[in-house]
Amino acid sequence: MNGWKSLLVAPYRFATCMRTRLYERGWLARRRLPRPVVSVGNLTVGGTGKTPMAMWVAGKLLKYGKKPCILSRGYRRKSQREFLLVSDGTSVLAGPREAGDEPYLMATRCPGVAVAVGADRYELGHWVLSQIPIDCFVLDDGFQHLGLDRDVNLLLVDSSNPAGIQALLPAGKLREPLGEARRASDIVLTRVENESMIADVLDPIRAALGSTIDPITTRFTPKTLMGASESMPLSDVRRKRALLFSGIGNPEQFRRMVTAFGVQVVDELVFRDHEAYSPSRVAEIYRRVERSRPDVVLTTEKDLIKVQSNWSVPIPLFAVGLELEFLDGESRLERVLAVL
């Protein structure tokens, strides 16, 4: 750490730790919804795979006969409504601009699961219960939402980015000190490709906690290419020239994944996370397509939903469809969810 950012780490640490202690001692009120709550969150800024995990959890609860609802803040959504029902579990009721890209993606990818957005997840949960029958809630990006009690508290850590847990904001990517991992009921390592990656992220957390950890380990496996009206296998783009674009928290991982299944990346555009894709942004992509002349354009699922309706160039556009794969600990988590 160096420069002015390092000077702000100490006051940031004090503020975050003080906030946590105030909740723990009851000086700031915690509230409980009248239904079980499963929280999915992380300690860092940037992508760790919270959305795929929230969808997996909601899907499991649905399989166990529950009527789940995912509660999300709806980051960068355009709707000014305090609460918004994105899906009632039967129909998708709002688009990506008004709901936010991730809530809309969860609504379209999780038939049977309700999705709602709002800043105050406690009030949002009560509002949802006044609209539709719900048996349990999944709190998306909820680790720092300390005002709401939860029954299961999953903490996701990106094993592909051990540098991300080395320093607090603003010098690093940590939202909270590593010791706050003690609040988790389970630690879930994402993007685990080999055993050596596990120790690189677990050792600092173990040192901060002063205890052993038995993590759940997962990875995201590309399964298919998803277009606006068709899908095709990954093998169809092997050795083809591709332009990539994305507005996600971990664009480096997206590029590594695409090159791993044999695509030749000839150009890449990286936008800020939750990019809205204004007409000027789409025009920028078109110019780069014209310049690099790829065989295919590849993006992520949450980027595709915001661009596909306006895609007008003859080069095919596909999103890389991912599947959450458990390496260890799946049955343990399933047992926890089955008894909610």
Side-chain angles (χ1 to χ4, degrees):
M1 296 183 296
N2 52 65
W4 66 268
K5 291 183 178 180
S6 65
L7 300 176
L8 298 177
V9 168
Y12 180 85
R13 179 189 296 273
F14 175 80
T16 56
C17 291
M18 179 60 69
R19 175 176 177 266
T20 302
R21 301 295 92 77
L22 290 175
Y23 274 109
E24 289 177 342
R25 295 174 183 179
W27 294 342
L28 290 178
R30 278 181 169 161
R31 299 176 291 180
R32 172 170 286 276
L33 286 168
R35 303 289 187 274
V37 174
V38 180
S39 172
V40 177
N42 61 12
L43 281 174
T44 59
V45 295
T48 56
K50 298 183 296 295
T51 298
M53 177 57 75
M55 291 193 293
W56 182 89
V57 168
K60 282 295 176 182
L61 293 170
L62 190 67
K63 180 181 177 181
Y64 296 147
K66 303 290 186 180
K67 296 179 180 178
C69 176
I70 300 174
L71 303 180
S72 175
R73 179 185 172 190
Y75 189 64
R76 292 190 185 278
R77 67 185 176 107
K78 300 302 182 183
S79 171
Q80 299 300 310
R81 296 173 59 183
E82 183 180 13
F83 306 129
L84 179 67
L85 195 61
V86 187
S87 170
D88 60 4
T90 302
S91 304
V92 177
L93 306 173
R97 281 184 59 81
E98 56 181 332
D101 49 17
E102 289 168 349
Y104 178 76
L105 177 63
M106 291 186 284
T108 55
R109 285 284 305 275
C110 298
V113 175
V115 179
V117 296
D120 186 328
R121 259 65 71 86
Y122 173 79
E123 297 295 344
L124 175 63
H126 275 286
W127 178 81
V128 169
L129 289 171
S130 73
Q131 307 294 310
I132 53 177
I134 291 296
D135 293 330
C136 50
F137 292 102
V138 179
L139 188 60
D140 177 46
D141 196 9
F143 200 74
Q144 285 76 39
H145 200 73
L146 301 180
L148 180 62
D149 271 338
R150 66 285 315 270
D151 301 89
V152 179
N153 202 19
L154 301 179
L155 174 62
L156 275 57
V157 180
D158 183 359
S159 66
S160 73
N161 186 25
I165 59 171
Q166 290 180 359
L168 277 170
L169 290 168
K173 292 189 173 183
L174 280 171
R175 296 174 173 177
E176 300 181 78
L178 277 181
E180 297 305 329
R182 62 188 171 79
R183 303 200 307 267
S185 57
D186 268 301
I187 292 177
V188 182
L189 302 187
T190 62
R191 302 190 175 100
V192 176
E193 298 301 330
N194 55 64
E195 288 290 327
S196 65
M197 298 174 71
I198 297 177
D200 289 342
V201 292
L202 272 193
D203 287 350
I205 299 174
R206 285 177 177 139
L209 297 180
S211 61
T212 60
I213 303 169
D214 182 19
I216 297 169
T217 54
T218 68
R219 64 186 177 193
F220 302 116
T221 306
K223 288 298 183 181
T224 189
L225 296 175
M226 306 166 61
S229 59
E230 61 175 334
S231 298
M232 66 180 187
L234 298 175
S235 58
D236 282 9
V237 294
R238 193 163 293 138
R239 292 185 292 275
K240 288 192 174 182
R241 302 170 73 256
L243 178 143
L244 311 185
F245 73 87
S246 62
I248 56 176
N250 195 335
E252 298 85 1
Q253 180 64 26
F254 176 59
R255 181 189 176 96
R256 286 196 296 268
M257 177 186 64
V258 168
T259 55
F261 59 76
V263 170
Q264 179 189 352
V265 177
V266 296
D267 200 359
E268 180 179 14
L269 293 93
V270 175
F271 304 111
R272 64 178 181 176
D273 196 10
H274 303 281
E275 174 64 46
Y277 293 102
S278 64
S280 63
R281 276 284 189 252
V282 176
E284 182 180 354
I285 298 171
Y286 289 169
R287 287 194 297 270
R288 295 285 282 270
V289 169
E290 178 66 24
R291 188 177 74 185
S292 59
R293 297 192 178 277
D295 302 313
V296 64
V297 178
L298 300 179
T299 189
T300 72
E301 291 183 73
K302 79 172 188 178
D303 292 300
L304 178 69
I305 60 177
K306 291 178 285 188
V307 174
Q308 62 184 3
S309 62
N310 297 319
W311 192 253
S312 60
V313 297
I315 307 299
L317 170 66
F318 289 97
V320 181
L322 302 179
E323 181 177 289
L324 178 64
E325 179 182 352
F326 282 78
L327 305 177
D328 187 49
E330 180 176 17
S331 59
R332 186 172 90 212
L333 183 51
E334 287 177 330
R335 287 194 295 271
V336 170
L337 298 177
V339 297
L340 286 179

